[in-house]
Amino acid sequence: MKLQFKHQKFQADAAKAVVDVFAGQPYLTTNYRIDNGSGIYQTDMETSFTGWRNEHIVPELNDSIILEHLQKIQRTNQIEPSKQLEGHYNLTIEMETGVGKTYTYIKTMYELNKHYGWSKFIVVVPSVAIREGVYKSFEVTQDHFAEEYGKKIRFFIYNSAQLTEIDRFASDSSINVMIINSQAFNAKGKDARRIYMKLDEFRSRRPIDIIAKTNPILIIDEPQSVEGKQTKERMKEFNPMITLRYSATHRADSIYNMVYRLDAMEAYNKRLVKKIVVKGITESGSTATDGFVYLESINLSKADPTATIQFDCKGKSGLRKVTRTVGLKFTTSMTTPAIWTNIRMAMW
């Protein structure tokens, strides 16, 4: 059975918001010579050392002009205009859970390629489970998007043992997407370090260098779960030309240049979700002047929904941050500062 996908205006609007930030950028495709390395090891393919990369934003399209575009888009979408380009070309898209976030950023890739010729994308996800789900979304939407745009995306999951995929990513002129979970380049294990190592089987080259030369567009899926201080630094080594951030629950301190927002209430009003359940979490017996609660994720399954939260816990050595998964009833023997927050749950 072939899945049928319905075109949704809000998904097209979210893609258009990103594209319009760079209005005036010409359609350009640029090739270059890939570092062919050295050594006796050969790949299992006839490697072309002509690479294709995303052309940089032209000098005529300076930061001042891009900021004007951004502010116009924000006003159109009823978002408070940015006073400056926060985090440079770093754009935030807020989309409620269950409305087709992955579909939206795949469509955005096609639109950026259609308008500007950009063809190298990296999707960073917080876990192996989400990585597999994203890969499946690319599979099931492949024919749908091919019918609309007349071409297919070549996508693959990064694997440190399959380095020929990196050469293909750089040398193929079509739209290429690498899907990678953050642990694959930000963990302490040997496999995670391989992306930064000169490898004999990769002709004494570092995989990260070959990737970075393509000037990729970085798409962060659930940045609140991906980004820590070290991860942010590691992602800079990909040399991203633009970073797009997609989530329903962005952290307040990491929202850069919001270009589109579809929150829970609007999703409900558009009948994109069936209902919204709001739960209050409280703790009595405290003045609530020092504590905080941070909602890391909402976990939906066949059972009652749960939430993963982080909060300050008072112990013998002082306050420390604690992460817990809570349900409809939550009790703890620990002494904690007062917690008062609302948890949004968009449920089908």
Side-chain angles (χ1 to χ4, degrees):
M1 182 179 69
K2 184 178 180 180
L3 293 175
Q4 299 294 321
F5 293 89
K6 180 181 179 181
H7 291 283
Q8 302 275 11
K9 184 177 183 301
F10 72 90
Q11 293 168 333
D13 289 344
K16 184 176 185 299
V18 173
V19 171
D20 287 353
V21 171
F22 306 101
Q25 170 76 8
Y27 183 98
L28 296 169
T29 56
T30 304
N31 58 43
Y32 67 102
R33 182 171 177 78
I34 299 175
D35 176 13
N36 60 5
S38 60
I40 62 173
Y41 289 87
Q42 301 296 321
T43 64
D44 61 357
M45 57 176 282
E46 293 183 4
T47 303
S48 168
F49 293 111
T50 298
W52 298 86
R53 64 189 178 203
N54 293 334
E55 179 60 43
H56 284 294
I57 295 168
V58 294
E60 295 82 3
L61 200 60
N62 57 43
D63 286 359
S64 177
I65 293 174
I66 289 179
L67 180 59
E68 288 180 12
H69 292 169
L70 172 65
Q71 292 170 336
K72 181 180 178 181
I73 294 162
Q74 290 170 325
R75 292 187 186 101
T76 298
N77 292 329
Q78 300 182 338
I79 298 169
E80 182 180 356
S82 299
K83 294 180 176 60
Q84 59 186 359
L85 284 175
E86 306 153 319
H88 208 54
Y89 303 135
N90 199 327
L91 307 179
T92 298
I93 300 90
E94 180 180 320
M95 301 192 75
E96 192 57 39
T97 301
V99 300
K101 175 185 60 182
T102 308
Y103 179 101
T104 300
Y105 63 65
I106 295 174
K107 183 174 181 65
T108 302
M109 294 176 190
Y110 272 104
E111 288 293 320
L112 290 171
N113 177 260
K114 175 183 175 181
H115 285 81
Y116 309 129
W118 294 332
S119 62
K120 307 297 180 183
F121 300 89
I122 298 174
V123 179
V124 182
V125 299
S127 68
V128 171
I130 294 178
R131 184 193 72 189
E132 297 301 319
V134 168
Y135 184 85
K136 189 65 177 180
S137 294
F138 274 91
E139 281 187 326
V140 300
T141 60
Q142 189 175 47
D143 291 340
H144 164 74
F145 282 115
E147 290 174 3
E148 182 177 356
Y149 291 96
K151 61 177 70 175
K152 289 187 176 183
I153 285 178
R154 181 185 167 274
F155 54 94
F156 68 99
I157 292 173
Y158 168 81
N159 185 332
S160 63
Q162 297 177 358
L163 296 174
T164 54
E165 292 287 1
I166 303 300
D167 272 326
R168 289 192 180 100
F169 178 78
S171 63
D172 189 79
S173 61
S174 60
I175 306 175
N176 278 256
V177 179
M178 182 175 77
I179 307 166
I180 185 170
N181 52 294
S182 56
Q183 297 87 348
F185 61 87
N186 192 39
K188 295 181 180 179
K190 182 179 178 181
D191 287 344
R193 293 197 302 268
R194 280 172 60 85
I195 197 169
Y196 307 108
M197 296 168 60
K198 289 185 177 181
L199 302 170
D200 289 341
E201 64 268 38
F202 201 52
R203 300 193 297 281
S204 298
R205 300 173 300 169
R206 299 198 315 158
I208 191 67
D209 292 334
I210 303 303
I211 296 168
K213 286 289 186 181
T214 66
N215 303 329
I217 293 174
L218 205 62
I219 293 176
I220 308 179
D221 193 326
E222 306 293 347
Q224 76 281 1
S225 299
V226 168
E227 289 184 323
K229 183 178 180 181
Q230 181 174 321
T231 314
K232 283 184 177 181
E233 291 302 312
R234 288 294 193 186
M235 286 193 292
K236 290 179 182 178
E237 299 201 40
F238 287 108
N239 188 35
M241 185 177 71
I242 299 166
T243 300
L244 306 178
R245 308 156 60 80
Y246 290 80
S247 179
T249 53
H250 291 283
R251 284 207 311 251
D253 62 351
S254 60
I255 296 177
Y256 308 98
N257 309 313
M258 178 83 74
V259 294
Y260 188 82
R261 177 189 290 129
L262 180 68
D263 60 20
M265 185 57 68
E266 188 174 358
Y268 176 75
N269 290 336
K270 291 179 181 291
R271 298 186 178 183
L272 301 174
V273 294
K274 290 185 177 180
K275 65 178 178 178
I276 303 169
V277 178
V278 179
K279 292 290 179 183
I281 299 178
T282 65
E283 194 244 343
S284 60
S286 172
T287 59
T289 56
D290 299 318
F292 84 102
V293 63
Y294 167 60
L295 175 63
E296 290 190 352
S297 64
I298 292 174
N299 316 307
L300 300 178
S301 66
K302 292 181 180 179
D304 288 338
T306 62
T308 302
I309 61 172
Q310 185 185 102
F311 54 90
D312 281 338
C313 174
K314 185 177 180 181
K316 293 182 179 179
S317 59
L319 290 178
R320 60 188 177 89
K321 288 182 173 59
V322 173
T323 299
R324 292 287 184 270
T325 298
V326 300
L328 299 182
K329 294 181 180 180
F330 175 53
T331 59
T332 178
S333 59
M334 296 179 296
T335 303
T336 62
I339 297 172
W340 179 265
T341 189
N342 287 328
I343 297 179
R344 300 182 307 172
M345 294 184 182
M347 300 173 58
W348 285 94

